[in-house]
Amino acid sequence: MLTQPTQLVASSDVGRRGSPSHGRLGNIYIAGAQRRRQPPPTRQHTSLTLSLPTQFEIQISPHNAPSPRGNRRGLRRRLRIPSEQSGGSCSRFTNTMDITQVLLAAQSHDGQIRTVAEGSLKQFQEQNFPHFLRTLSNELSNDEKPPESRRLAGILLKNSLDAKDSTRKEEFTQRWINVDPTVKSQVKGSLLMTLGSPAFQARRSSSQVIAKVAAIEIPHQGWPELIVNLLSNMTKPDTSPSLKQATLDALGYVCEEICPEDLEQDQVNAILTAVVQGMNHVENCSDVRLAAVKALYNALDFAETNFQNEVERNYIMKVVCETAMCKEADIRKAAFECLVSIASTYYDLLEPYMKTLFELTANVARVDEEPVALQAIEFWSTICDEEIAIQEDGQESDGVNSSCHFHFIEKALPLLVPMLLETLMKQEEDQDQDDGIWSISMSGGACLGLVARVVKDAIIPLVMPFIEGNITKPDWHSREAATFAFGSILEGPSVEKLVPLVNAGFDFLLNATKDQNNHVRDTTAWTLSRIFEFLHSPTRGFSVVTNANLPHVIEILLASVNDTPNVSEKICGALYFLAQGYEDAGSMSSVLTPYLGEIISALLTTADRSDSNNSKLCACAYETLNEIVRSSCISETLNITVQLLQEILRRLNQTFEIQITSSDDREKQSDLQALLCGVAQVILQKFSSCNEKSAILHFADQMMVLFLRVFSCNSSNVHEEAMLAIGALAYATGPEFVKYMPEFHKYLEMGLQNFEVYQVCCVSVGVVGDICHALDNKVLPYCDGILAALLKDLSSPELHCSVKPPILSCIGDIALTIGEHFEKYVPYTMPILQGAAELCSRMDLPDDDSIEYQNELRRSIFEAYSGILQGFKNSKSELMVPYASHIFQFVELVLKDNSRDESVTRAGVAMVGDLADALGPNIKLLFKNSNFHSELLGQCSQSDDEQLRETASWVQGVITRVLVS
C-alpha cells in the first residue's frame, strides 16, 4: 500500500545523479573521425604580414554588441535618453508614461514607428542597464498599465538576462552580476510582487524572469531568500489561487533553469512538498493543480534522494498516478508526462509500480483523448529506450548487468503488444499528408518497433497473427495497420527468423503498392524500404532480393515513384536502401547496371515534380540519386554518370535564372542549389575513386564557375554544399586546381571567418586539407593567409568549440605538406598547441559529451604535432627540440588516462613514434628517463586492433634505435 506522510523528509545521504549543465564546454558537437583539411587563401608573401594570435580559446567570453544606428532623435526626446555626447545620465528617464508609450510603439503596425521605438529601447538598455531593468520591472508590476506594454516589458527583461548563443549568455550573466545590489533588490521585489497581479500574462512573464535571475544567482549562492519567499506564498492561508498558480509556475521554471547541485536537500524537500500539495484536488482549483504538475515535472531531477526513500517515493508515485486519473484532460496529460520523465530518470526504482502503471497506461491508450493517450504510449517507448541502452551497454562490456535490467518489456509483452496493435487501427484520414501529424497509430507503431528491438525474436509470434488476420481485409484501416505492424518489427528479430517471413509475403507487398487506398500504398512503400534496409545485404550473405526477382522489384518501384508525393517519397527511400545494399559490393553491384538509366531518369523526373507542396520529395529524389551513383559500378556506367553530371550542371546553371520575388523563392533556390552541389560532389568522389581524371578535367572549369556563382547566394546551406563540392573537385583535379586559387581564395577566407554559421567554417577547414593534398608544395604561396585565419579561429571565443579540433588537425596537414617552410609559423602555432594541451588537462568533465570532446581535442593535438614533426623530419628538425619535453609530458599524461578512447591511443602512439623518428638522439634522455612508453607499447602489442599493433611495433623499433644511438 502507498502511504502518505505529512511532508517529505530528507532521507539518508544518497549521491545524486542529475545532469549538470554549468561548467560545460557549451553546446558540444563532436566532429566526425575523418580528418578534414582546409583551403588556403592566395597570399604570395615571404613572411607573415598579419599579427597572429598565440592563445588557444575554448571558453566563451563576452563581446560587445554593435552600436544601434539610425535617426532616433524624436524618440530620444520622448524617452529623455541622453545622447552619447551629452554626458547625461539615463536616470533622467523618469516619466513612466514615456516607457509605456515606447513599448506600445515598438509593437506598432507602422514599420517606421516600430523601428525607432526598438532602437530607442536598445539604446536605453546599452546606456543605463540598471535603470532599464528597474523601469521595465516597474512597468511589468503596475496593474494600471496596458497589457501590451507589460507583456513586452516582460519579454525584454527575460531577453536581457539570457540568450541561446553561449557568448551572449555569458555576457548577459556578467552584466547582471555587475548591477548595483540595491537595483537588483528592487527588481527582484517588483518581480515577486507581480506574481500576485490579477493579469495572467503579467504573472506568467514575472515567473519566467524570476527563473532567469535565479539561473544566474542561485549557482553562485545568490538570492537565498527566493525559495523561502515563493514557498511562503503556498503556505499562507489567504493566498489567492492565482498567486499559487504563479508561484508554482515560478518554482517550475526555476527548477528548469538550475541544476540539482544548486539546491540544498531541505530546499528540495520543501519544494516537493509544496508542489505535491498543490496537486491536491480537494484544496486547489484546476489551474493551480496543472501548474503544480508541471512544476513537479521540472523538479523530478532534483528528487533523487527522495526517490531513494521508499516512503517518499511511494507518496510521490501515488499522487502522480491519482492525478493521471483526474477529470481534466490537460492535467492528466501533464501527469503522464511526469511518468514518462520518471521512467527515464528512475527506471531502476519502478518495479513495485509496474503492474499499476501498465493498467493505467493501457486503459488511457485505449479510451482517453489523444494528447493523453500519446503520453501513455510514450511511457512504454521510454521504458524501451532505457532497456535498449542497458542492452547496448552490456554488449560493449561483454554482458548485460542483470542488477540494473528489470526486463519490464519482456514481462509485459503478452499484454503490451496487443494494446499497441490495437492503437495501429486508429489512423487519421490525413496522416500521410501532413508531416506535423503525430497520431495514436504512429506512436503505437513507433513503440512496437522499440519493443521489437528489446525482445527481438519473441515479438514475432505475437504480431504475425494480427498481420495475417488483417492484411487482406476489405477495410483499408485493417490492411494499413497490418502492413505497419510488419514494417515496425523488421529491426530487432534475427535475420534467420525474418527472412522466411519476408520471402513468403514479398510478392504480396510488391503488389500492395497498387492498392486502391493511398494510406496502404504509403505504408507499403515504407515497409519495403525497411525490408531493403535490414534484410538486403549481399556483402553479408543475405538478401530478399535475388537476381530472379530484381527485375520485378525495379519495375514496381519505378512505377510507384510516380504515385502521389507522399508515396513517391517512401519509394525513393526504398530505392535508396536497395542501392545501398550494393555499395562496396564489388562485382555484385553490376546487377544494377542494366537499370541505372531508367532509375536516374525516374529520379530526375521526380525531383522536378510540381505537385508536391514541400521540397522534401525533391530532396529525397536527389539523395537517392546520390546513393545510386555511390553504389554503381563505374567501369560499366561511366558514360551514364558523365551524362548525369552534364544534366546536374545544366540544372545548377538554370537555378540562377529563377525569378526571386520573395524570401520563399530565395529559400527554394538555395535548397535546390545545395542539392545539386551535393550530387556533383558525389559524382566527383566516384570519379576520384577510380582515377577517371579525364572526365573530371573536361568539366572542371564549368563546375568551378558554377560553384563560385553559388557563393553569391546569401545562404549558409548552399555555401556549405558548394564548399564541399569544391573540396571534392580539388581532391580530384590535383595540381591543376592551382589555377582556381586566385579567385577562390577570397570565398575560402569568408568561410574560415564565418563564426556565426560555424558549420560553414568547419567545412572550409576541411577543404584546406583537400587543397593541401591537391597542390602539395604549390600551396605554399597561400599559407600565410590560411594560417592567419586558422590561428585567429583558434583564438576566438566566438567560434563554436566543435570547429577547433579539426583546425588543429589541419595545421598538422599544412605542416606535413610544406615541410621545412613551416619554420616561420612555429613561433605562432606551438604556443597555441601548448595552450590546447594545458586546457585538456584542466577540463571539467561533467558528462559523456565533455569526455568525447576532450578526446577529440587530444587526438587533434596529437595529429597536429605528428604533422609538424614529420614535416621537419628531413630538415630543420632541431626547431622542435625545445618543445620536445612538453610534448612528451602531454602524451604521457594522456596515455595514462583510462578515459581516453581508442582513436586517441592510436594517434598518441603514432605521435610518440614521430617524435622519436624526427628528433632522434636529441631526445634520447626523455625516453631513457621514462618507463611509461614501454608499458604502453606492451599493452598495445596485445591489442585486438591490428593497426594499433603494427603502429606499436614500428614505434618500438624507432625508440630502440634512438636509445642505442
Side-chain angles (χ1 to χ4, degrees):
M1 290 291 293
L2 297 175
T3 58
Q4 175 178 343
T6 56
Q7 70 171 23
L8 298 176
V9 185
S11 60
S12 60
D13 189 17
V14 180
R16 301 190 194 123
R17 287 185 296 181
S19 54
S21 59
H22 295 272
R24 294 175 58 178
L25 291 173
N27 185 18
I28 294 175
Y29 167 80
I30 305 302
Q34 289 283 350
R35 289 179 63 181
R36 295 302 312 259
R37 320 177 188 193
Q38 177 179 3
T42 10
R43 302 280 177 89
Q44 303 195 18
H45 304 313
T46 56
S47 62
L48 283 177
T49 59
L50 294 175
S51 175
L52 294 178
T54 57
Q55 296 294 318
F56 181 84
E57 283 282 350
I58 285 285
Q59 300 293 343
I60 304 300
S61 62
H63 68 284
N64 294 324
S67 299
R69 300 178 181 178
N71 182 2
R72 301 188 178 88
R73 287 180 296 174
L75 267 175
R76 179 179 286 128
R77 284 196 296 270
R78 292 203 297 275
L79 289 174
R80 302 182 184 178
I81 297 178
S83 66
E84 291 86 339
Q85 291 81 11
S86 72
S89 166
C90 283
S91 63
R92 292 168 56 191
F93 192 146
T94 56
N95 185 340
T96 56
M97 285 303 295
D98 286 340
I99 188 63
T100 301
Q101 294 305 316
V102 174
L103 288 168
L104 294 174
Q107 303 171 71
S108 170
H109 294 296
D110 187 315
Q112 186 174 1
I113 294 175
R114 188 172 63 251
T115 299
V116 173
E118 289 172 351
S120 296
L121 288 168
K122 185 175 182 181
Q123 187 179 11
F124 182 26
Q125 180 179 1
E126 291 174 345
Q127 290 187 349
N128 195 329
F129 183 61
H131 191 43
F132 174 83
L133 292 172
R134 188 163 48 197
T135 302
L136 290 182
S137 62
N138 288 338
E139 183 79 11
L140 178 62
S141 65
N142 192 336
D143 289 331
E144 296 180 358
K145 296 296 182 179
E148 295 82 5
S149 67
R150 298 176 76 185
R151 182 187 65 84
L152 183 55
I155 292 172
L156 291 173
L157 281 169
K158 186 173 67 171
N159 291 346
S160 70
L161 297 169
D162 193 18
K164 291 181 179 179
D165 178 75
S166 54
T167 304
R168 291 176 61 79
K169 183 181 179 74
E170 177 62 29
E171 176 190 351
F172 292 174
T173 296
Q174 196 59 47
R175 186 172 61 180
W176 168 266
I177 291 172
N178 293 335
V179 171
D180 182 85
T182 303
V183 175
K184 288 194 284 191
S185 179
Q186 292 171 347
V187 172
K188 294 174 188 174
S190 293
L191 293 172
L192 288 171
M193 183 176 69
T194 310
L195 293 178
S197 170
F200 170 77
Q201 188 59 56
R203 298 196 305 270
R204 174 61 56 85
S205 295
S206 180
S207 63
Q208 292 171 340
V209 179
I210 286 170
K212 295 300 180 183
V213 175
I216 298 173
E217 297 221 348
I218 288 180
H220 299 93
Q221 287 74 52
W223 209 357
E225 69 277 12
L226 171 63
I227 301 299
V228 174
N229 289 340
L230 292 175
L231 293 176
S232 69
N233 290 341
M234 300 300 297
T235 55
K236 292 177 182 176
D238 57 344
T239 300
S240 65
S242 62
L243 178 55
K244 282 187 176 182
Q245 177 192 11
T247 299
L248 289 165
D249 283 341
L251 285 169
Y253 290 139
V254 169
C255 290
E256 187 177 18
E257 291 287 341
I258 64 176
C259 296
E261 290 76 13
D262 295 332
L263 293 180
E264 298 295 331
Q265 186 58 44
D266 59 344
Q267 292 177 304
V268 174
N269 293 340
I271 290 172
L272 290 174
T273 299
V275 166
V276 171
Q277 288 176 351
M279 295 166 65
N280 188 311
H281 70 281
V282 176
E283 299 177 8
N284 298 299
C285 65
S286 59
D287 288 341
V288 172
R289 287 160 54 218
L290 179 60
V293 181
K294 290 182 176 180
L296 176 62
Y297 177 86
N298 287 322
L300 284 170
D301 278 345
F302 295 74
E304 180 164 358
T305 298
N306 308 91
F307 264 80
Q308 295 293 342
N309 181 303
E310 183 179 0
V311 174
E312 297 179 16
R313 182 175 70 246
N314 286 345
Y315 180 44
I316 294 172
M317 293 299 295
K318 175 179 181 292
V319 173
V320 174
C321 289
E322 287 175 348
T323 306
M325 295 184 289
C326 72
K327 64 180 181 180
E328 297 91 350
D330 54 350
I331 299 178
R332 294 199 304 275
K333 175 178 177 289
F336 274 103
E337 288 172 349
C338 287
L339 288 175
V340 171
S341 180
I342 290 169
S344 175
T345 309
Y346 303 111
Y347 165 89
D348 55 330
L349 298 173
L350 285 181
E351 188 170 31
Y353 317 103
M354 289 307 293
K355 183 176 184 295
T356 299
L357 290 171
F358 178 81
E359 293 172 354
L360 185 62
T361 54
N363 181 61
V364 166
R366 288 189 173 102
V367 302
D368 211 329
E369 297 178 27
E370 182 169 274
V372 186
L374 285 172
Q375 292 303 316
I377 297 171
E378 183 64 21
F379 172 84
W380 288 102
S381 293
T382 302
I383 295 292
C384 288
D385 287 336
E386 293 299 312
E387 298 197 343
I388 289 169
I390 292 169
Q391 290 172 351
E392 290 175 347
D393 290 344
Q395 290 171 358
E396 292 177 5
S397 58
D398 299 324
V400 176
N401 185 351
S402 58
S403 64
C404 64
H405 194 330
F406 291 90
H407 303 277
F408 293 141
I409 298 299
E410 181 181 338
K411 294 172 183 176
L413 201 60
L415 298 174
L416 178 61
V417 170
M419 182 266 284
L420 293 175
L421 292 174
E422 190 176 325
T423 66
L424 301 189
M425 301 289 287
K426 299 179 180 181
Q427 304 97 325
E428 296 183 7
E429 293 291 340
D430 59 347
Q431 66 182 23
D432 297 326
Q433 310 301 322
D434 185 352
D435 289 336
I437 286 181
W438 185 246
S439 65
I440 291 289
S441 65
M442 291 176 173
S443 180
C447 186
L448 186 65
L450 291 170
V451 171
R453 291 177 60 190
V454 174
V455 303
K456 305 189 187 317
D457 290 351
I459 193 78
I460 293 176
L462 294 171
V463 174
M464 287 309 298
F466 176 84
I467 296 171
E468 293 164 353
N470 288 279
I471 197 70
T472 59
K473 282 188 176 179
D475 182 7
W476 74 263
H477 294 84
S478 299
R479 301 197 305 278
E480 194 275 340
T483 309
F484 191 17
F486 191 51
S488 297
I489 65 169
L490 290 173
E491 183 183 9
S494 64
V495 171
E496 291 76 17
K497 291 286 186 182
L498 286 174
V499 167
L501 296 175
V502 173
N503 283 335
F506 195 40
D507 286 339
F508 182 91
L509 283 171
L510 291 173
N511 291 330
T513 59
K514 303 171 186 175
D515 193 282
Q516 61 186 5
N517 183 270
N518 179 275
H519 298 297
V520 176
R521 298 197 305 275
D522 181 278
T523 304
T524 299
W526 172 79
T527 300
L528 287 171
S529 73
R530 300 263 294 175
I531 289 172
F532 297 145
E533 180 180 4
F534 299 113
L535 298 173
H536 168 55
S537 182
T539 57
R540 293 164 60 193
F542 63 87
S543 177
V544 297
V545 180
T546 65
N547 291 342
N549 65 19
L550 180 61
H552 185 51
V553 170
I554 297 291
E555 178 187 358
I556 291 292
L557 296 181
L558 292 182
S560 298
V561 81
N562 298 315
D563 206 327
T564 56
N566 60 293
V567 177
S568 181
E569 180 190 319
K570 309 297 191 307
I571 292 294
C572 284
L575 282 166
Y576 180 98
F577 288 114
L578 177 67
Q580 190 178 71
Y582 296 109
E583 190 175 350
D584 301 323
S587 59
M588 284 186 282
S589 65
S590 296
V591 299
L592 278 183
T593 301
Y595 313 101
L596 203 66
E598 289 180 87
I599 295 173
I600 290 174
S601 177
L603 290 171
L604 290 173
T605 301
T606 301
D608 287 339
R609 285 177 60 162
S610 60
D611 59 340
S612 179
N613 294 326
N614 58 51
S615 59
K616 194 173 180 182
L617 176 58
C618 178
C620 286
Y622 280 120
E623 288 296 337
T624 303
L625 192 58
N626 289 340
E627 190 57 37
I628 294 294
V629 172
R630 279 191 287 261
S631 60
S632 65
C633 181
I634 192 65
S635 62
E636 300 173 352
T637 61
L638 178 60
N639 290 336
I640 295 175
T641 309
V642 167
Q643 292 171 22
L644 174 60
L645 178 59
Q646 288 178 298
E647 175 63 18
I648 294 301
L649 297 180
R650 184 188 70 80
R651 290 178 175 224
L652 184 55
N653 187 53
Q654 284 183 337
T655 63
F656 301 108
E657 300 171 7
I658 296 175
Q659 295 296 316
I660 306 298
T661 59
S662 66
S663 58
D664 286 344
D665 291 339
R666 173 69 67 187
E667 184 179 356
K668 288 178 182 178
Q669 180 196 48
S670 298
D671 289 345
L672 182 56
Q673 288 174 341
L675 291 167
L676 292 167
C677 286
V679 179
Q681 179 199 358
V682 171
I683 294 174
L684 284 168
Q685 291 170 336
K686 190 68 177 181
F687 283 157
S688 297
S689 68
C690 61
N691 296 318
E692 279 295 341
K693 197 167 183 178
S694 59
I696 298 170
L697 293 176
H698 182 74
F699 295 101
D701 289 354
Q702 182 185 358
M703 282 190 282
M704 196 63 190
V705 168
L706 291 171
F707 295 154
L708 292 178
R709 286 187 69 184
V710 165
F711 283 115
S712 64
C713 299
N714 188 23
S715 170
S716 59
N717 182 38
V718 186
H719 290 180
E720 185 177 350
E721 293 298 329
M723 193 68 77
L724 286 167
I726 289 174
L729 182 63
Y731 190 92
T733 54
E736 286 85 352
F737 188 81
V738 71
K739 66 180 180 180
Y740 305 120
M741 287 301 296
E743 180 65 20
F744 172 58
H745 80 88
K746 60 186 179 184
Y747 295 107
L748 178 62
E749 287 186 357
M750 288 168 55
L752 292 174
Q753 295 166 16
N754 194 339
F755 293 173
E756 185 175 349
V757 187
Y758 66 89
Q759 295 90 341
V760 174
C761 183
C762 192
V763 168
S764 301
V765 171
V767 173
V768 171
D770 296 326
I771 291 177
C772 285
H773 176 273
L775 301 186
D776 200 34
N777 59 4
K778 291 182 181 179
V779 77
L780 189 58
Y782 307 102
C783 284
D784 282 1
I786 294 176
L787 265 300
L790 293 179
L791 294 178
K792 282 187 175 181
D793 284 350
L794 287 173
S795 301
S796 170
E798 298 177 25
L799 182 62
H800 197 279
C801 59
S802 66
V803 187
K804 299 194 175 186
I807 292 175
L808 294 172
S809 298
C810 183
I811 289 173
D813 293 337
I814 295 170
L816 181 61
T817 299
I818 65 175
E820 63 183 29
H821 300 290
F822 194 77
E823 176 183 359
K824 63 180 177 180
Y825 307 115
V826 169
Y828 305 102
T829 55
M830 293 307 295
I832 281 190
L833 287 172
Q834 289 175 332
E838 289 168 7
L839 176 69
C840 283
S841 64
R842 54 183 169 82
M843 191 179 288
D844 290 333
L845 303 173
D847 51 35
D848 291 342
D849 285 344
S850 299
I851 293 172
E852 284 187 40
Y853 183 80
Q854 183 192 53
N855 281 324
E856 178 84 4
L857 194 58
R858 288 166 161 178
R859 184 174 66 250
S860 65
I861 295 169
F862 287 152
E863 291 172 349
Y865 280 140
S866 284
I868 295 171
L869 289 164
Q870 290 179 47
F872 284 140
K873 176 183 174 182
N874 297 322
S875 176
K876 300 183 179 180
S877 61
E878 66 276 2
L879 291 170
M880 295 299 294
V881 172
Y883 306 102
S885 178
H886 183 277
I887 296 173
F888 196 82
Q889 290 172 6
F890 174 63
V891 72
E892 181 174 1
L893 181 69
V894 171
L895 296 182
K896 283 183 176 179
D897 182 2
N898 292 330
S899 69
R900 71 182 190 275
D901 61 24
E902 292 183 2
S903 66
V904 173
T905 303
R906 286 194 295 269
V909 170
M911 202 273 287
V912 171
D914 291 329
L915 186 68
D917 196 31
L919 304 187
N922 291 314
I923 56 168
K924 181 176 180 179
L925 286 177
L926 284 177
F927 287 104
K928 205 169 185 179
N929 295 335
S930 174
N931 293 323
F932 103 92
H933 61 275
S934 299
E935 299 173 5
L936 174 69
L937 295 175
Q939 294 172 8
C940 293
S941 65
Q942 305 299 316
S943 171
D944 295 333
D945 187 330
E946 182 179 356
Q947 181 184 357
L948 180 58
R949 292 199 307 270
E950 292 176 355
T951 302
S953 176
W954 169 75
V955 173
Q956 185 62 67
V958 174
I959 293 176
T960 301
R961 289 197 299 273
V962 169
L963 291 175
V964 300
S965 59

